[in-house]
Amino acid sequence: MDSQNNKKNNRDSASHDRQKAKDVRLSNISASKAVADAVRTSLGPRGLDKMVQEEAGDVLISNDGATILSKMRVEHPAAKMLVDLSKAQDIEAGDGTTTVVVIAGSLLSACLTLLGKGIHPSLISDAFQYAVEKAEEILEKAAQPIDLNDRTAVIQAAATALSSKVVSQHATLLAPIAVDAVTRIANLEEPDTIDLRNIRVLKKLGGTLDDTELFEGLVLNQHVNKSAGGVTKVAGAKVALIQFCLSAPKTDIENNIIVQDYSAMDRVLREERQYILNLCKKIKNTGCNVLLIQKSILRDATSDLSLHYLAKMKIMVVQDIEREEIEFIAKSLQCVPIAGIDSFVPEKLAKVDLVEEVTVGTEKMVKMSGIQGKHKTVSIIARGSNKLMLDEAERSLHDAFCVVRSLFRRRFLIAGGGAAETEVAVGLNKVAKTMEGASAFCVRAFADALEVIPYTLAENAGLPSIEIVTELRNRHVQGDTNAGINVKKGNISNMFEESVVMPLLVTVSALRLATECVRMILKIDDIVMTR
C-alpha cells in the first residue's frame, strides 16, 4: 500500500513540475511577445513612429527599435531579454533593431504552437539552431558582392536604412554624407577597426535638414572669448590644447589670507599680475596663436587679466572645452594635450590653415579648416527646425554609419523589402522536406515564422498582406531571389532594380541573435526569486 502511495505521489509531483514549467514558458513567451508587438508597427518605410514621454517631461519621437525599447520600463525578466536583444543588434550591425525583435516575437509564437503539440523544448531549440545555420547558407547564396569603390551602391544601402526613419524624405542628402564620413575614417585593410566615435555630429537649431553639411576639419560648439577684445579669425594658426588654468593659483586646502595694509594688498596683486603675465609670455614665445582651454572645476580656467594679456598678444582663446571632447580634438588636430606650462613646447602645437568663429543659425561656433597632417576624424553639422528632429537625425545618421561599416566588414548586399526573409522561408521549407520526425516540423515552423517581416511591411503600408505575401512567396518559389515588396507602388518588384538593398551582415546578425534569444527563453523552466 505504501509503495502505491509513493508512486502516486511521485506521479503527482512530476505532473506538477511539468505544469509549472509549462506555465513559466507561457508567461515568458507572452511577456516577450508583448514587447515585440509594441514595436511591430514601426517596421519598414511606412512604419509609424512612437512618442516617448520621459519622467523629466522630455519628449522623444522615433521609430528606431533600440531607442524605443531602451526607454520603455520593462519589468518582466524575459521581456528584458528582448530589450537587450535590440541593443545587441544595434552594437553588432546598427540597423535592423526593430526587425530582430519582430522576428524573435514571431519565433516565440511558433514555439507556443510546437509546445502545444507536445514537442520537447530541447528538440525545438536544436532544430532552430540547425535552421538558422541553413538560413545563413541560403542568404550567402542570394547575396551579391559589392565593390566599395562603387559609391552609388554603398549610398543605396545607406538610403535604404534611412528610408524607414522620420527623416526619410532627406535620405538623398544624408546617405552620401554618411558614406563619405565613414569612408574618410575607415581603413580598408582593417575594416573591423572602424571607430564611429571618430565621427562627430553637432546639432544646431535653425534651418532645415537640407542645410546639414559634412565639414573637412574640426568644428567646436564653443565660441571665441571676446570679453577683452580678442581676435575671432586667425590664418596660419598654431593651436595648443591646454589642461591647466590661466588664473591665480589656489592652495590645496581651504584657508584665508588676511591682508592688514594696502602695501600688502598691492604686493599680492602685483605678484598675481606677474605670475599671469609670465604664463602668457611663455605661451606667446612658442608661437601659439590659438588657445583651446579645458573646463576646470577647481578654479576659473581664465581670469580677466589673462584674457586681457592674451588679447594684446593677438592670441585667440576658446575656453570651456569639455573633458569628453579632449580625446576627439587631440585626434583631429594630431596634437598632444598640454598638462602644464613647463611642458608647453612648440612641438605640441597643431598647425591649421584657418581658425574662425562663424554664426550658424542663432549660435556661434568655431571652425578649423586645413588641418595639416593625416587626421582620421569627421565633423557633421546637423541643422533642424526643432530639437526632436535634430535628435532623430543624429540617431538616423548613426544607423546609416553602421550600415556602411557593415558593408566594410562583410562586402555583400542583399535585397530588402522582405525579399531576404522570404527567400530563407522558401529555402528552409525545401530543407524541411528532406528531414524526418519532429525536427522537420520545427524547421518548417521556423521558416513560416520569418514571413512575419513581409506580412508586417505590407500591413504597415496599408496593402492586402495575404495577397502580397502569397504572390511574393510564389515569385521566390519560381526562383526570383530578389523579389520584394515595393511599398511605394504596392506590388512585387526586383529590389535591386528599385535600389532597396541592405548589407548581408544586418540580416544574418538579426537571424542569429533572434534565434539565440528565443532558444534561451525556450529552455527556461522556472523563475527563482532571490533577496
Side-chain angles (χ1 to χ4, degrees):
M1 193 70 177
D2 289 342
S3 175
Q4 287 179 349
N5 285 336
N6 287 338
K7 286 179 180 177
K8 184 176 182 299
N9 289 336
N10 287 338
R11 281 198 302 273
D12 290 345
S13 176
S15 175
H16 177 266
D17 288 345
R18 280 197 299 274
Q19 185 61 39
K20 186 179 180 183
K22 185 178 177 182
D23 291 343
V24 167
R25 283 195 193 95
L26 183 63
S27 167
N28 287 345
I29 290 173
S30 299
S32 302
K33 277 177 63 187
V35 171
D37 291 341
V39 295
R40 190 181 166 192
T41 53
S42 296
L43 185 72
R46 295 292 170 89
L48 303 175
D49 305 326
K50 299 283 186 281
M51 178 180 278
V52 182
Q53 184 164 10
E54 300 180 45
E55 285 184 9
D58 295 336
V59 174
L60 179 148
I61 298 173
S62 180
N63 61 3
D64 181 65
T67 303
I68 296 165
L69 291 175
S70 66
K71 299 292 181 183
M72 285 172 62
R73 189 180 294 167
V74 180
E75 299 294 338
H76 197 285
K80 284 180 180 176
M81 292 171 70
L82 258 70
V83 177
D84 292 338
L85 173 65
S86 68
K87 286 181 186 173
Q89 176 71 5
D90 197 30
I91 292 166
E92 177 65 19
D95 194 26
T97 52
T98 307
T99 303
V100 72
V101 175
V102 171
I103 290 174
S106 184
L107 289 174
L108 287 169
S109 295
C111 290
L112 271 183
T113 307
L114 295 170
L115 290 168
K117 294 182 183 296
I119 301 175
H120 195 274
S122 295
L123 194 63
I124 300 172
S125 175
D126 292 342
F128 276 18
Q129 181 59 34
Y130 176 76
V132 80
E133 288 170 3
K134 287 292 179 185
E136 189 171 344
E137 291 175 15
I138 294 165
L139 285 171
E140 284 175 353
K141 287 178 185 174
Q144 295 186 13
I146 181 175
D147 179 10
L148 292 177
N149 295 319
D150 182 1
R151 187 167 177 269
T152 306
V154 182
I155 288 174
Q156 285 171 359
T160 303
L162 291 167
S163 66
S164 63
K165 307 297 179 187
V166 177
V167 298
S168 57
Q169 66 270 31
H170 302 281
T172 52
L173 169 76
L174 298 179
I177 287 176
V179 171
D180 291 341
V182 178
T183 304
R184 281 174 192 170
I185 66 163
N187 182 351
L188 289 176
E189 294 175 3
E190 298 178 356
D192 290 330
T193 62
I194 297 174
D195 187 355
L196 296 182
R197 289 174 298 181
N198 290 338
I199 303 173
R200 191 179 187 210
V201 180
L202 288 93
K203 299 173 288 185
K204 289 293 177 183
L205 273 175
T208 65
L209 278 172
D210 290 328
D211 299 318
T212 299
E213 63 170 316
L214 180 74
F215 183 72
E216 279 277 8
L218 175 66
V219 183
L220 299 176
N221 251 330
Q222 293 78 5
H223 56 84
V224 174
N225 192 306
K226 301 183 287 290
S227 59
V231 291
T232 58
K233 184 175 181 179
V234 177
K238 291 184 178 179
V239 186
L241 176 60
I242 68 170
Q243 296 180 300
F244 59 91
C245 299
L246 297 178
S247 58
K250 287 177 71 174
T251 53
D252 292 337
I253 56 174
E254 287 293 327
N255 56 16
N256 295 317
I257 298 172
I258 299 171
V259 180
Q260 294 180 335
D261 55 35
Y262 289 113
S263 59
M265 186 66 184
D266 286 343
R267 192 166 70 251
V268 170
L269 293 173
R270 194 165 56 249
E271 289 289 338
E272 180 184 338
R273 195 180 303 116
Q274 193 60 43
Y275 172 80
I276 291 173
L277 181 59
N278 287 339
L279 286 180
C280 295
K281 281 182 177 177
K282 286 180 180 177
I283 291 170
K284 180 65 177 174
N285 290 339
T286 61
C288 170
N289 52 12
V290 176
L291 206 54
L292 309 181
I293 306 174
Q294 182 180 315
K295 200 174 191 176
S296 174
I297 58 171
L298 300 174
R299 57 192 169 106
D300 295 334
T302 57
S303 65
D304 291 342
L305 197 58
S306 61
L307 290 173
H308 169 75
Y309 286 138
L310 292 169
K312 290 284 185 188
M313 296 172 182
K314 301 295 182 192
I315 297 175
M316 181 192 287
V317 178
V318 181
Q319 58 189 99
D320 292 338
I321 304 291
E322 298 290 346
R323 187 179 294 272
E324 302 81 51
E325 296 178 284
I326 293 292
E327 184 181 353
F328 182 85
I329 294 171
K331 199 181 289 183
S332 301
L333 296 175
Q334 297 289 295
C335 68
V336 179
I338 302 168
I341 193 65
D342 295 331
S343 57
F344 203 122
V345 290
E347 291 75 28
K348 292 187 177 181
L349 301 180
K351 294 179 181 177
V352 181
D353 290 345
L354 180 65
V355 179
E356 61 179 331
E357 184 181 65
V358 295
T359 302
V360 178
T362 57
E363 301 176 49
K364 293 186 182 296
M365 60 198 319
V366 177
K367 284 187 173 182
M368 299 186 183
S369 51
I371 299 170
Q372 296 181 19
K374 280 191 175 182
H375 61 103
K376 286 279 186 179
T377 62
V378 175
S379 295
I380 295 171
I381 304 169
R383 306 294 305 283
S385 57
N386 57 62
K387 185 176 180 294
L388 295 177
M389 185 61 81
L390 281 172
D391 290 343
E392 183 62 12
E394 183 181 25
R395 285 189 289 270
S396 302
L397 277 169
H398 179 266
D399 280 7
F401 297 152
C402 291
V403 163
V404 180
R405 181 183 65 179
S406 297
L407 282 176
F408 276 86
R409 290 170 61 188
R410 196 164 183 177
R411 299 173 190 185
F412 288 91
L413 279 174
I414 199 158
E421 291 80 9
T422 309
E423 180 66 17
V424 171
V426 169
L428 286 180
N429 271 314
K430 290 178 182 174
V431 170
K433 288 176 183 176
T434 65
M435 300 170 68
E436 295 179 354
S439 295
F441 208 73
C442 296
V443 171
R444 195 175 299 117
F446 186 99
D448 293 342
L450 292 183
E451 290 191 346
V452 71
I453 297 299
Y455 265 112
T456 306
L457 287 174
E459 279 177 16
N460 290 348
L463 304 173
S465 53
I466 295 175
E467 294 173 27
I468 288 284
V469 174
T470 303
E471 186 188 345
L472 179 63
R473 193 188 301 122
N474 289 339
R475 290 277 291 270
H476 279 266
V477 168
Q478 292 164 15
D480 191 352
T481 306
N482 298 326
I485 300 172
N486 187 331
V487 294
K488 291 180 181 175
K489 297 178 182 175
N491 60 14
I492 306 300
S493 308
N494 185 309
M495 291 290 99
F496 271 93
E497 290 177 4
E498 296 290 332
S499 300
V500 180
V501 290
M502 56 187 183
L504 174 64
L505 181 67
V506 172
T507 307
V508 168
S509 171
L511 285 175
R512 273 189 194 159
L513 293 173
T515 307
E516 187 179 293
C517 181
V518 168
R519 290 181 69 211
M520 192 173 287
I521 291 172
L522 198 58
K523 287 195 171 186
I524 298 168
D525 72 341
D526 202 355
I527 297 175
V528 181
M529 305 300 288
T530 60
R531 288 184 180 179

